Amino acid sequence: METLIQEIYQILKDYRSEEGIANVRITPERIKLWILQFEENDRIFLLNELKNVFQKRYCSKSMALSFLKNIIVKLSEDLNYASSTEFLDNAHCLDLQAEGKSQKKMIELLALVLKKEFNYEIANIGNNTKKHYIYIDDVLCTGNTFYNNIKDWLDIEENGIKMLQRLRANEVSLKVVFIFIVSKNYEKKLGQFYHNIDKNFRNMLKTYAIHCIDAEVLQPIRGSHPDFVLNYEAKVTEQADNHAKDKNFNPYTSEFYRTENSIIIDKFFTSNENRIRFENILLKKGIEILDRVNVRRPNFRPLGYSLPSRKDFGSGALLFTWRNVPNNTPLTFWYSSAAPAFSPLFVNMRQN
């Protein structure tokens, strides 16, 4: 077990390492404390699976810097500019989120990349024209922040013309850049743009990401679950139905389970059988956490943040960055409000 703990530590060791706050950093001791909270016969199994997950889904700061450099080069090429400097002179980086949000940090990181790799000051972006608008963020999980940001931006007027009109007329372009995108939720947001903004909105933007996560989210299969899991499922179903009734819309269908044969060959987890076991362990532990601390907020689910209207166990996202762990990942990774009943692996920056 000690060897696995050290191997996982080597992957995660830059998590919030620059902040100089000892109790937020990942250490071998923290990993050990976390794993000892699980059943003894599950510990080696979990560490093996997590080593595999983190190798594929942990984005270090150096990976993010490399990604941003490649994005600038790619955008310059896609838009047929002779150089990245020429592209940047005709671009604009959207800054739409409040202080302390992830977009601010990503823009700060972009400024470092522009200075080091292109000898370009971020303050000089758009010196020529603001033709190519870049929306940059770290993670798109539910997509609510992205949708609300862009919806508001589309309504902004410049010289009496709204940004949506300028997009429609191809006067400007919109480029969306994320480290991680949960594909099914992104599609839902594009559907909202289709119904609420413009039926052709999908063709008005181009998206770039390191990972577009499709089937690699935790969603257990329907099987022989203990009573406390089934009771929790019934509770969420009742809450979601009541929420839909209060908001006067039709209830959503159940999304608690995936069909067992929905993924014929699992290329993300070490095996289909191990995926099922991994999902069930984190599901049960998450429900245990919720029961211990009596969490009343309906958007907190054992497998991560969800929406009160959804009938699911949570987003089940498996994505992690050097500066934060989204609350869309299972509670066991981040929900520090459960301490001392349960100590999460990561200290999360926000528990909203």
Side-chain angles (χ1 to χ4, degrees):
M1 187 167 81
E2 297 296 333
T3 299
L4 281 169
I5 287 173
Q6 286 295 329
E7 290 173 339
I8 291 172
Y9 167 68
Q10 290 302 317
I11 300 171
L12 305 179
K13 64 183 179 181
D14 81 329
Y15 180 73
R16 299 182 68 180
S17 61
E18 297 178 346
E19 297 180 29
I21 306 174
N23 66 346
V24 305
R25 297 186 64 176
I26 290 290
T27 63
E29 293 74 24
R30 187 180 189 91
I31 299 170
K32 187 172 185 177
L33 172 65
W34 181 78
I35 197 63
L36 289 177
Q37 298 172 109
F38 292 88
E39 296 292 331
E40 184 173 359
N41 64 344
D42 288 331
R43 292 170 189 168
I44 297 297
F45 167 78
L46 279 173
L47 289 174
N48 272 311
E49 288 302 307
L50 283 171
K51 176 185 171 183
N52 171 67
V53 167
F54 290 140
Q55 285 174 332
K56 297 175 179 178
R57 286 290 185 271
Y58 179 76
C59 179
S60 66
K61 184 177 180 179
S62 62
M63 291 172 61
L65 289 167
S66 178
F67 169 62
L68 291 176
K69 174 187 174 182
N70 292 337
I71 283 296
I72 296 301
V73 173
K74 178 66 173 171
L75 285 169
S76 305
E77 293 172 350
D78 287 353
L79 294 166
N80 297 315
Y81 283 97
S83 68
S84 294
T85 297
E86 185 181 349
F87 159 68
L88 292 167
D89 284 342
N90 292 279
H92 180 72
C93 196
L94 291 172
D95 188 357
L96 305 175
Q97 296 179 13
E99 288 296 332
K101 297 297 184 180
S102 53
Q103 185 171 76
K104 302 286 186 185
K105 297 297 182 181
M106 290 298 292
I107 293 173
E108 290 176 11
L109 208 63
L110 178 62
L112 294 176
V113 170
L114 295 184
K115 180 67 175 178
K116 179 180 178 181
E117 304 294 342
F118 303 98
N119 193 28
Y120 194 97
E121 297 291 341
I122 196 167
N124 294 330
I125 284 185
N127 268 349
N128 187 13
T129 64
K130 294 179 180 179
K131 185 174 182 180
H132 309 292
Y133 288 81
I134 307 169
Y135 181 92
I136 185 172
D137 206 350
D138 57 354
V139 174
L140 184 147
C141 280
T142 63
N144 287 344
T145 298
F146 166 71
Y147 178 79
N148 291 326
N149 286 166
I150 296 300
K151 180 171 66 69
D152 291 343
W153 175 72
L154 292 171
D155 204 42
I156 293 175
E157 291 188 5
E158 288 188 0
N159 299 321
I161 303 175
K162 291 186 177 182
M163 296 308 302
L164 177 58
Q165 293 174 273
R166 299 188 67 197
L167 271 179
R168 284 171 174 162
N170 292 320
E171 293 178 8
V172 297
S173 69
L174 176 61
K175 311 300 178 185
V176 176
V177 178
F178 285 95
I179 293 174
F180 293 111
I181 290 176
V182 178
S183 299
K184 69 174 184 178
N185 293 335
Y186 188 45
E187 286 298 316
K188 289 176 182 177
K189 294 305 160 184
L190 291 179
Q192 282 186 252
F193 282 115
Y194 175 90
H195 290 291
N196 301 334
I197 305 297
D198 191 294
K199 287 182 168 52
N200 194 44
F201 185 77
R202 180 188 295 269
N203 297 320
M204 296 181 190
L205 79 168
K206 188 169 183 179
T207 308
Y208 301 80
I210 295 180
H211 294 295
C212 289
I213 299 169
D214 189 8
E216 308 93 351
V217 297
L218 299 185
Q219 186 182 22
I221 62 170
R222 190 181 298 277
S224 299
H225 294 288
D227 287 345
F228 74 89
V229 172
L230 301 178
N231 291 338
Y232 178 81
E233 177 189 344
K235 176 183 175 181
V236 171
T237 298
E238 181 181 8
Q239 288 177 338
D241 285 341
N242 290 336
H243 180 81
K245 183 178 179 181
D246 291 342
K247 299 295 184 180
N248 196 28
F249 63 81
N250 293 328
Y252 285 99
T253 58
S254 173
E255 298 178 299
F256 291 102
Y257 304 104
R258 61 181 170 87
T259 57
E260 190 169 356
N261 61 352
S262 61
I263 301 173
I264 305 302
I265 300 177
D266 199 320
K267 297 182 179 180
F268 180 75
F269 294 89
T270 56
S271 73
N272 287 1
E273 294 76 15
N274 286 346
R275 174 191 182 134
I276 293 170
R277 182 181 175 187
F278 185 75
E279 289 171 330
N280 288 339
I281 291 172
L282 295 193
L283 171 64
K284 293 173 185 177
K285 183 61 71 172
I287 294 175
E288 180 184 318
I289 291 170
L290 292 172
D291 286 344
R292 282 185 183 182
V293 298
N294 194 25
V295 176
R296 298 180 182 276
R297 295 178 64 177
N299 50 357
F300 281 1
R301 308 276 172 85
L303 296 182
Y305 186 93
S306 187
L307 299 175
S309 57
R310 297 288 178 187
K311 298 176 183 178
D312 61 23
F313 290 121
S315 299
L318 292 173
L319 40 92
F320 313 85
T321 77
W322 79 99
R323 60 170 302 273
N324 200 26
V325 175
N327 51 21
N328 305 84
T329 61
L331 265 62
T332 57
F333 292 122
W334 61 270
Y335 191 58
S336 60
S337 296
F342 186 87
S343 296
L345 181 57
F346 299 92
V347 174
N348 195 359
M349 292 180 66
R350 57 184 184 270
Q351 304 252 334
N352 51 0

